[in-house]
Amino acid sequence: MRPSNNARNETEHERLDRQLMEMLQGFRVAVTGVQVLFAFLLTVPFAPGFDEVNATGRRLFYVALFSAAVASISFIAPVIQHRILFQLNQKPALIRRANRFGIFGALALATSITSATTLIIHTLVSDLAAALTAAAVVVLCGWAWFVQPLLIRRRAGRPARPSDE
């Protein structure tokens, strides 16, 4: 393979290898947080006092649990697919798909974090405090995970849809 036109002076194969490793490393960080949250949520229904959680709290719990499961699946899927597609020259498609799984997993994780936090505040304090907390968590996740990087992409003249980096 000949070198591609990029600042790193790497071949296409080297670039794909680097992209995949960087993405999988990022998933390792994210999946640890998801697993801790998911494990915590799996214990909640068995905790004393869960029977006292009202219908709103139970719906929040369901959303938090389901979203944590979706986030976990999303962050783990690229790793499993990489194992199944190993040595079949599918790396470009795998990287594109893994990127989509990562973004979807981040959305699911933000939903789970928001729902779990809102459930706790709703149970401990009040509906108003829960609503304000939910808004704050959504804004923080949205800004830090999505808006800020998209603004940087726009300033760099890159499309909002990540492709090859």
Side-chain angles (χ1 to χ4, degrees), residues 102-129:
I103 292 168
F104 188 71
L107 286 168
L109 178 57
T111 301
S112 184
I113 290 171
T114 301
S115 301
T117 304
T118 304
L119 167 61
I120 292 167
I121 300 302
H122 168 77
T123 302
L124 297 178
V125 184
S126 69
D127 289 344
L128 177 60

Side-chain angles (χ1 to χ4, degrees), residues 12-46:
E12 179 70 10
H13 183 76
E14 290 168 336
R15 183 179 63 82
L16 291 171
D17 283 346
R18 177 183 52 79
Q19 288 178 340
L20 183 61
M21 294 314 298
E22 288 174 356
M23 195 171 312
L24 292 178
Q25 184 61 29
F27 287 174
R28 282 185 192 103
V29 171
V31 82
T32 301
V34 171
Q35 287 173 331
V36 169
L37 176 60
F38 194 35
F40 164 75
L41 289 169
L42 289 173
T43 67
V44 169
F46 305 105

Side-chain angles (χ1 to χ4, degrees), residues 11 16 35 52 58 60 65 75 77 84 88-89 91 93 99 101-102 104 107 118 127 130 135 142 144 147 152 164-165:
T11 66
L16 291 171
Q35 287 173 331
E52 298 171 25
R58 288 178 183 270
L60 284 168
L65 182 66
F75 288 129
I84 293 170
L88 293 178
N89 296 319
K91 204 170 284 184
N99 188 61
F101 272 121
F104 188 71
L107 286 168
T118 304
D127 289 344
V147 175
I152 292 169
D164 297 328
E165 284 187 9

